[in-house]
Amino acid sequence: MSIQEIKNQEITSSQGADSAIEMITIIVDGFEVSVPKGTLVIRAAEKLGIQIPRFCDHPLLDPVGACRQCLVDIEINGRKFPKPQASCTIPVEPGMVVNTQLTSPVAEKAQKGVMELLLINHPLDCPVCDKGGECPLQNQAMSNGGGESRYEGVKRTFEKPINISSQVLLDRERCILCARCTRFSEQIAGDPFITLNERGALQQVGIYEKEPFQSYFSGNTVQICPVGALTGASYRFRARPFDLVSTPSACEHCASGCDMRVDVRRGKTLRRLAGDDSTVNEEWSCDKGRWAFKYEHRDRLTSPLIRNESGELVEASWPEALAHAAHGLSINRAAVLVGGRSTIEDAYGYSKFARIALNTNDIDFRSRTSSDEERNFLAALLLGKSVTYLDIDKADQVILLGFEPEEESPIIFLRIFKQVRKRGLKVSALAPFTSRGNEKLKATVIKNVGNEVEDISKFALTNRSVILVGERLAEVSGALTAALKLAEQSGAKLAWIPRRAGERGALEAGAIGNLLPGARQVADPKARQDIERAWGSGPLPTQTGLSTDQILDALHKGEIEALLVGGVDPGDISASAIDGLRKAFVVSLEIRNSAMSEVADVVLPVAAVVEKSGSFLDWQGRARKFEAAVTNSLHRSDVRILSILADEIGRPINLGTVEKAAKELASFGDGSSDQKSALASLSADQAKIKEPGKNQAILTSWRLLLDNGSLQEHEPNLAGTAHPCVAVISDDRANRLGVVDGDLIKISNSNGEIILPLQIGDIDPRAIWIPRNSENSRPLLALKSATHSLVSVVKA
Amino acid sequence: MNQPISSPYSDKDLAVMDSIVKRYPRTRSAIMPLLHYLQSIEGYVTETGIETIAQILSLESAEVNAVATFYTQYKRKPVGQYHVGICTNTLCAVMGGDAIYQSVLEHLGIENDGVTDDGKVSVEHIECNAACDYAPVVMANWEFYDNQNVESAKDLVDSMRQGNPPPPTRGPDRLVTWKEASAVLAGINDGLAHQGVQAGDPTLLGLKIAKNSKGGE
């Protein structure tokens, strides 16, 4: 039981919510301490501030007693254990008296002996080891070791390092066989691809030769390795820990909301580690969060760019670029597209900029496939109760709708997996096929593409159930409405899990056509007045704004002539989005050269997460604030640039700093009271898809965690552990086509084709699944459809 | 994904493996008997075998591999039809085990864990088999040959190469082959359990002395 769990239990017991926790009092080194029954001795000692040395012990992993470093003397009711015991495996008992190394010469000698044994084959190569300077073995050898080794023999050596995946390296002779990495992989990630092999002096951590350590969570093993045995390929030999400046940060990759730590040396991120937040990511992160950050350094925009008369983007000064942008935005009818990666402060900047500087509600943060139904759903969502990780911990069942946790929000996956493993939490998923993630969650998968709405209403839930709705559910018309209805009828909690880190914040900042900041409806005059008063502005535009799709449509038709975009990839929205953008005057706020540079008329460089402060709202709606890790950057946050641009237009938004934006946004509070009436117009019918013919299938797809996402560029080691890019079809279809696993198949429609190796899977026989944004598989661009359309499937 | 097991093993073998799995409330418990059963088919644990067990038990191959490499009774390369283990732990060693071990290897012209060219005999030094009362002991396919010496051990391996080994000192009336012994370890009854002595005189000697002595001195 971890300190945090003890705290939580104490809180629960003091509230008298659950049945009272039985407390047990023991004596450690002469001091009394009371802890809940089941607490391990090592943890009880921690509570007194007594640190017993340890390696294998980890509060979030099952006890194993592998390293023997935590030996202490124990007696119970006057009866002494005949020899020292591992304090990390023994729970407290009434009448227990524990003497640690501080008071027992026997325990001290035992610990020194263990340390000496652990070091016999250890190379003592701290000066060239990544872990040197932050190594529990190094530290505890100093604090609790013998100082000098008596060993004079030849140390065992191994070939080193070996790649157990493209991103994790193993130096076997440094390993002390604590089994933290193998236990993590099995117990936390559900990916038991590394094991302790062989025995005795030859025992070593290893993979099965043909199966590398292909886990999305493998980086955690590097972080929890108490010695330098596991190192990250991207960080190896790059830095000494004492040269790094560490800053708490937030992860920009998804909406899980992880606490991160960024380690910077001379203005450059060298590594990122999982932070410790027991209510969110505990002490874990996914490999994308840990290892995808080189985008910060590569292809960066350093100066504003303006498209000149011959159509080339050329460098320009800030005043020139701002004047040009302001002119273009103010003489045309303009709209705003905010990428899903904005901080809430930046999103608020866009939201206010659209209303004040551009006098429009035509703003949308959903730079992806989306629907009007979704917009109403999101407005309704903000009126509901918030859902948290804790609700997953307590749920009687979890329903996944249009959501693949392992791929789309990996920390939610870990949380569900923990409960599945601990108490057999029931998980059901409405999905085209049983993915590996769903297999690990032992989920009941309802495989039905095309009739989702009908299936959603069939779930039997209670008020302890949790419905997790992915952003992809918006792609099935009527499904979001059905999910809302299901939650209302059963009393179950409903949460919406966007894929990107900024979407929830952008929603609350009002970066969408139907909402103003603080969940106020545009259509509600009183809500508009609230905002007008706060902003000291004239009347706000009254008409509900256009959505992403409508804005693009209007661009094509020439009804909107100018566009302000912030971190948008047009390829995420639709194949033809880029053509619409070509017709308009586009002002792009970007951190790097991107597809937007092709069509932008003015490009204004902005700061990356590491260079700015701000906060991300995770799927729970909880803010994680962060400060700039790189403090001497010349780049500025979007909101600051927008504020200057608004000044230039002559309609100031007065958001000169991130802090100002945060303060102003916080002052609005929640304006969502009594607005349910505005939500009546949700549609509930699912568009019927034609039954697929003989060589046809219904296309489905989602993004894999590791794919062609632009924030993952320049990370070859990370890319090496991406899931294979395959098309999943049913056994039946494979037989009909006369193909087997690994054969190439062609997926096509009138717009184009995609050729992929196939994998036979447990899939709705009418459907085919392919990755949405991987090498050779970008259906939105190639087929102009990502899901729920008929495609032809033949042998390639 | 509940796909049918794809492996080169016969339907009969797969059916036996299935029956082994069904013996246990937790399927993972079947790893060890299944590994023995694979040795009864192929003589050693192959990669195909490990991957098949992983499929049957819904485990990763790495997990099965970890078990297969931990226990020395699982062989990762072929052994002889008769696998000879010579005890070189303290008591057997001083009673002649070390000499037997050296001379048998020299006699067969192989190294530790080696197999004779004809594939009949392999030799490894083994840890204590709880037969110190008959030291020095030699085992063949986990059956005891008690009170050996250099000459008797050489004769024993010669007879194995000729295909007519004598019956074990204790145990069944004939020496079973490595594969047959592996099947027994997989829990498949060969009907020979009742044959041979169970506890011989040297084993019971201490008990006899204790019973005869007054006051248990």
Side-chain angles (χ1 to χ4, degrees), chain B residues 37-117:
Chain B
Y37 187 71
L38 287 173
Q39 294 202 131
S40 80
I41 305 170
E42 295 172 290
Y44 66 107
V45 177
T46 60
E47 284 192 359
T48 318
I50 285 176
E51 287 153 26
T52 303
I53 293 178
Q55 274 189 69
I56 293 174
L57 301 180
S58 299
L59 295 171
E60 296 302 335
S61 300
E63 295 173 282
V64 181
N65 186 55
V67 176
T69 57
F70 182 81
Y71 295 100
T72 53
Q73 278 185 313
Y74 299 125
K75 302 299 176 193
R76 303 306 308 279
K77 54 183 194 186
V79 293
Q81 189 176 3
Y82 299 103
H83 182 64
V84 175
I86 300 170
C87 179
T88 53
N89 272 184
T90 318
L91 189 62
C92 282
V94 298
M95 298 283 282
D98 277 348
I100 295 172
Y101 174 67
Q102 284 307 330
S103 57
V104 166
L105 286 183
E106 270 166 38
H107 181 68
L108 294 174
I110 57 175
E111 309 250 296
N112 185 44
D113 280 335
V115 191
T116 53
D117 291 340

Side-chain angles (χ1 to χ4, degrees), chain B residues 185-202:
Chain B
L185 290 171
I188 304 199
N189 191 352
D190 63 357
L192 304 180
H194 65 283
Q195 295 178 359
V197 236
Q198 300 301 315
D201 287 343

Side-chain angles (χ1 to χ4, degrees), chain A residues 186 192-199 203 207-208 210-211 434 436 439 741 759-762, chain B residues 1-4 28 46-48 50-51 60-63 65-67 69-72 76:
Chain A
E186 184 201 342
F193 300 124
I194 53 171
T195 46
L196 283 172
N197 299 331
E198 306 290 343
R199 69 187 296 171
Q203 194 173 40
I207 51 171
Y208 185 64
K210 297 179 189 167
E211 289 174 1
T434 310
R436 189 180 140 69
E439 265 180 61
D741 266 352
Q759 181 184 310
I760 294 168
D762 181 28
Chain B
M1 280 174 247
N2 287 322
Q3 284 180 29
R28 193 187 166 117
T46 60
E47 284 192 359
T48 318
I50 285 176
E51 287 153 26
E60 296 302 335
S61 300
E63 295 173 282
N65 186 55
V67 176
T69 57
F70 182 81
Y71 295 100
T72 53
R76 303 306 308 279

Side-chain angles (χ1 to χ4, degrees), chain A residues 493-640:
Chain A
K493 301 199 168 73
L494 180 137
W496 174 67
I497 323 274
R499 210 177 53 82
R500 291 177 171 134
E503 292 211 350
R504 179 67 194 250
L507 175 65
E508 303 209 359
I512 192 162
N514 60 335
L515 292 177
L516 294 168
R520 287 171 174 78
Q521 310 255 336
V522 165
D524 176 0
K526 195 185 150 293
R528 288 200 306 275
Q529 280 166 16
D530 278 358
I531 303 291
E532 282 158 11
R533 246 197 321 276
W535 284 348
S537 67
L540 294 179
T542 54
Q543 202 173 358
T544 298
L546 301 180
S547 67
T548 302
D549 289 343
Q550 290 163 339
I551 290 171
L552 286 167
D553 204 38
L555 287 173
H556 278 289
K557 290 182 186 152
E559 291 162 9
I560 288 181
E561 302 112 344
L563 194 66
L564 171 68
V565 294
V568 173
D569 180 350
D572 286 344
I573 304 171
S574 71
S576 59
I578 191 109
D579 301 327
L581 291 165
R582 253 190 205 106
K583 293 185 182 166
F585 179 84
V586 176
V587 177
S588 167
L589 272 61
E590 254 300 353
I591 57 171
R592 305 165 68 212
N593 249 317
S594 69
M596 208 44 96
S597 306
E598 251 181 72
V599 294
D601 294 280
V602 181
V603 180
L604 302 173
V606 290
V609 166
V610 72
E611 300 149 349
K612 65 184 181 187
S613 61
S615 37
F616 285 117
L617 241 53
D618 64 17
W619 66 276
Q620 310 173 96
R622 179 187 140 144
R624 186 174 303 286
K625 200 169 163 357
F626 59 90
E627 295 299 323
V630 173
T631 47
N632 57 354
S633 167
L634 296 176
H635 293 296
R636 293 291 172 264
S637 204
D638 299 36
V639 66
R640 166 105 171 117

Side-chain angles (χ1 to χ4, degrees), chain A residues 120-140:
Chain A
I120 276 187
N121 275 313
H122 188 85
L124 301 175
D125 58 345
C126 313
V128 295
C129 177
D130 279 359
K131 205 81 176 185
E134 56 176 14
C135 175
L137 180 59
Q138 196 179 32
N139 295 346
Q140 294 181 127

Side-chain angles (χ1 to χ4, degrees), chain A residues 271-511:
Chain A
R271 68 172 175 183
R272 310 206 314 183
L273 299 169
D276 182 355
D277 183 344
S278 63
T279 59
V280 179
N281 56 316
E282 303 192 280
E283 298 179 28
W284 317 124
S285 80
C286 73
D287 288 354
K288 183 154 92 175
R290 182 181 303 270
W291 280 320
F293 56 81
K294 288 214 184 74
Y295 75 88
E296 294 166 7
H297 319 310
R298 306 279 181 91
D299 314 326
R300 282 300 293 273
L301 294 163
T302 50
S303 144
L305 305 172
I306 290 184
R307 197 165 297 282
N308 65 13
E309 278 151 15
S310 50
E312 290 162 5
L313 270 187
V314 292
E315 289 195 2
S317 68
W318 275 100
E320 191 185 0
L322 286 165
H324 192 50
H327 180 71
L329 289 174
S330 49
I331 60 160
N332 295 300
R333 186 180 165 196
V336 181
L337 291 180
V338 189
R341 308 210 174 277
S342 298
T343 60
I344 186 165
E345 293 84 358
D346 286 344
Y348 175 66
Y350 285 102
S351 176
K352 191 173 178 185
F353 187 91
R355 273 67 188 228
I356 301 226
L358 304 178
N359 191 31
T360 180
N361 284 319
D362 298 339
I363 178 171
D364 204 333
F365 66 83
R366 298 170 300 163
S367 54
R368 52 176 170 81
T369 49
S370 57
S371 71
D372 283 354
E373 183 193 5
E374 182 190 22
R375 212 159 62 163
N376 294 335
F377 166 86
L378 293 177
L381 180 92
L382 292 182
L383 305 182
K385 267 178 289 178
S386 71
V387 184
T388 67
Y389 282 102
L390 207 62
D391 291 312
I392 295 177
D393 292 349
K394 291 180 181 164
D396 62 352
Q397 61 172 314
V398 170
I399 309 293
L400 310 173
L401 303 177
F403 178 48
E404 278 293 315
E406 191 177 23
E407 305 289 358
E408 295 173 315
S409 207
I411 298 306
I412 298 182
F413 170 82
L414 291 189
R415 201 67 167 220
I416 302 174
F417 182 77
K418 180 180 181 180
Q419 296 304 324
V420 169
R421 183 174 174 271
K422 255 171 95 172
R423 60 181 178 96
L425 171 65
K426 195 177 150 205
V427 180
S428 305
L430 183 59
F433 78 104
T434 310
S435 61
R436 189 180 140 69
N438 278 332
E439 265 180 61
K440 288 195 280 184
L441 297 179
K442 300 190 172 67
T444 310
V445 181
I446 295 147
K447 301 175 289 282
N448 188 348
V449 180
N451 300 310
E452 286 90 342
V453 172
E454 207 182 311
D455 283 331
I456 290 173
S457 60
K458 287 182 191 157
F459 286 108
L461 306 181
T462 72
N463 60 4
R464 287 178 54 219
S465 309
V466 172
I467 306 168
L468 299 180
V469 171
E471 68 180 33
R472 283 185 291 108
L473 200 65
E475 292 162 355
V476 180
S477 60
L480 288 172
T481 311
L484 263 188
K485 200 176 282 173
L486 174 69
E488 254 165 46
Q489 284 166 358
S490 60
K493 301 199 168 73
L494 180 137
W496 174 67
I497 323 274
R499 210 177 53 82
R500 291 177 171 134
E503 292 211 350
R504 179 67 194 250
L507 175 65
E508 303 209 359

